[in-house]
Amino acid sequence: MPQVLRECAIGMLTVGMSTRAVDCELNVHFCTISHLQRHFREFGSTSNRPHNRRPRVTTPAQDLHIQHLHLQDCLRRATRTAAATIGLHNQRISAQTVRNRLREAHLHARHPHRGLYLTAVRRRNRLEWANAHIRWHLPLWRGILFTDESRVHFIFGILNAQRYRDEILRPIVLPFIHDHHLMLQHDNARPHVARICTQFLEAENIPVLAWPAYSPDMSPIEHVWDALDRHTRQCVPVPANIQQFRTAIEEEWTNIPQATINNLINSMR
């Protein structure tokens, strides 16, 4: 609250007005007047204690609203949310404020994909990889486990290398590969190529298919997963835990057109 309103609120309380009456008169939240009254009793002043922090321009309800917007639309830009959000005292908030609120909840605003920048070296590496595998027949490709972990970790926290190893590789990928004698394929995302993950795969004798940097995702299941991901994020309410997310995925899977599934199966043959 501005200092003038603080002094005005204390004056109203001093003459006997109730806290409810004061917050209605000044059009502020009840808790704000209650905190101001308690602060005045303890310190005898309406001014905040000196600090180096910038004043917070969003309310807890607005912080939660910002988080829900970006959970429902993983490609939403921070500038778009900032333009549609009014801060305290009718102030426009900045895109950096939106990013800060998302970071506090372990979320991140996304940037639109502008395409890969392919240098001559990257193009050559792509071509060499393609030439090395162009004569692979179907039995060889059937021995590859293509993986693409879900974006559920975008909802429940950042997927780092340790979580990738402990929550995906060790409990899910490792037993499946050992049971079916497969080779692992995953892209060059930072959690995948981190030292703790590469050392873990080497220690468990898991062969990994070499994958050139800046390569397109050639796993056909990626297209179906993207469709499931988009539809699941539109669920109301948004899944709040792993079990709810799994239930939403199962419900959305039944809604995929049969033609889409048939195309996926044919592309994998």
Side-chain angles (χ1 to χ4, degrees):
M1 292 176 62
Q3 185 63 28
V4 175
L5 289 183
R6 290 169 179 265
E7 296 176 356
C8 182
I10 292 299
M12 293 179 180
L13 293 171
T14 302
V15 298
M17 291 182 64
S18 66
T19 307
R20 290 290 183 183
V22 174
D23 72 65
C24 292
E25 182 69 22
L26 300 180
N27 193 26
V28 297
H29 197 273
F30 168 79
C31 292
T32 302
I33 301 300
S34 179
H35 293 164
L36 176 63
Q37 186 178 31
R38 183 168 62 251
H39 179 83
F40 184 76
R41 289 174 179 173
E42 293 179 1
F43 301 101
S45 171
T46 59
S47 301
N48 284 332
R49 286 174 291 179
H51 59 77
N52 296 326
R53 302 185 306 272
R54 295 183 60 186
R56 199 175 182 90
V57 296
T58 56
T59 65
Q62 287 177 323
D63 296 344
L64 189 61
H65 178 65
I66 290 173
Q67 297 170 21
H68 283 173
L69 288 178
H70 287 265
L71 284 173
Q72 294 173 357
D73 183 4
C74 63
L75 299 179
R76 187 182 182 92
R77 304 188 67 179
T79 52
R80 178 182 170 191
T81 302
T85 307
I86 301 296
L88 293 173
H89 316 307
N90 298 324
Q91 297 178 6
R92 289 284 184 180
I93 68 173
S94 65
Q96 186 59 46
T97 297
V98 174
R99 298 186 189 100
N100 293 341
R101 299 298 175 266
L102 293 175
R103 190 178 299 110
E104 292 170 359
H106 303 291
L107 302 176
H108 294 276
R110 296 305 185 208
H111 298 284
H113 181 66
R114 300 181 182 275
L116 297 176
Y117 176 68
L118 296 179
T119 62
V121 174
R122 293 168 184 168
R123 293 177 184 273
R124 185 173 63 251
N125 292 339
R126 278 190 178 192
L127 181 60
E128 291 176 354
W129 188 93
N131 290 333
H133 298 82
I134 193 172
R135 298 187 182 278
W136 277 32
H137 299 293
L138 184 59
L140 290 177
W141 287 114
R142 282 178 173 171
I144 307 297
L145 174 63
F146 286 86
T147 62
D148 186 26
E149 73 280 353
S150 73
R151 293 187 182 92
V152 65
H153 293 84
F154 174 77
I155 298 178
F156 301 108
I158 299 174
L159 178 63
N160 54 29
Q162 183 174 353
R163 293 191 64 185
Y164 179 63
R165 181 194 62 183
D166 297 340
E167 300 179 20
I168 297 179
L169 290 180
R170 179 176 284 121
I172 301 175
V173 175
L174 183 63
F176 190 85
I177 286 182
H178 281 166
D179 292 343
H180 298 83
H181 307 287
L182 301 175
M183 177 184 290
L184 174 65
Q185 180 279 328
H186 56 190
D187 56 28
N188 294 300
R190 290 183 179 179
H192 301 173
V193 297
R195 182 178 303 175
I196 63 173
C197 291
T198 56
Q199 291 178 347
F200 171 78
L201 294 172
E202 292 175 358
E204 297 293 339
N205 295 321
I206 301 298
V208 179
L209 179 65
W211 205 252
Y214 292 88
S215 295
D217 194 337
M218 294 185 288
S219 174
I221 196 64
E222 170 69 12
H223 304 290
V224 175
W225 173 252
D226 281 344
L228 287 173
D229 183 62
R230 288 193 300 270
H231 286 86
T232 303
R233 292 180 185 279
Q234 296 174 0
C235 294
V236 179
V238 176
N241 52 52
I242 295 292
Q243 184 57 45
Q244 293 180 9
F245 190 83
R246 179 178 299 173
T247 301
I249 286 290
E250 292 174 352
E251 293 177 354
E252 292 298 334
W253 176 261
T254 60
N255 297 328
I256 296 179
Q258 187 61 38
T260 302
I261 299 178
N262 293 336
N263 292 337
L264 171 64
I265 294 176
N266 292 334
S267 65
M268 298 177 67
R269 287 178 178 174

